[in-house]
Amino acid sequence: MPKKMLSAGESHQGDSWQARSGIHAVGVPVNLEPIRHQSWEIINAILADTDPEGSEIRNQLRRCLSKNQGNPERALLMHLMSMPGRSEPAILD
């Protein structure tokens, strides 16, 4: 199955990411573009890996991306927090 590489440009569809993220500093939206860009780089590196042992990890990341469309930094955070070794599941509002 071909792997689709994702881009930061895909995250600009629909509503403003700042409105969706809900992240503000003292009422002023925070510029998350540097973190968003780094998140896409990390996500793409994980999804580009072809090691069969990492297939479930890649599937988990895809599920997080699906649940957090247009918000790669949140998807990556949810993915990392769901990895083995965590004592409790991640809860983000």
Side-chain angles (χ1 to χ4, degrees):
M1 171 169 59
K3 298 205 178 355
K4 178 183 177 198
M5 298 302 282
L6 304 171
S7 69
E10 290 182 69
S11 65
H12 294 286
Q13 300 170 0
D15 298 338
S16 161
W17 66 267
Q18 291 173 335
R20 288 190 317 270
S21 72
I23 298 175
H24 301 277
V26 191
V28 178
V30 175
N31 180 6
L32 292 177
E33 284 306 313
I35 291 175
R36 176 161 292 206
H37 181 75
Q38 289 177 333
S39 297
W40 279 121
E41 288 179 353
I42 295 167
I43 289 166
N44 284 328
I46 294 168
L47 295 178
D49 189 8
T50 58
D51 181 3
E53 291 184 19
S55 66
E56 185 51 40
I57 291 171
R58 292 187 296 277
N59 289 336
Q60 170 61 22
L61 178 55
R62 288 184 189 101
R63 287 189 291 273
C64 290
L65 285 167
S66 177
K67 291 178 183 177
N68 296 281
Q69 292 181 6
N71 201 336
E73 63 280 6
R74 186 177 181 98
L76 182 59
L77 175 62
M78 296 301 292
H79 170 71
L80 293 172
M81 293 181 79
S82 72
M83 298 308 301
R86 301 247 344 134
S87 58
E88 298 178 13
I91 298 175
L92 294 177
D93 297 297

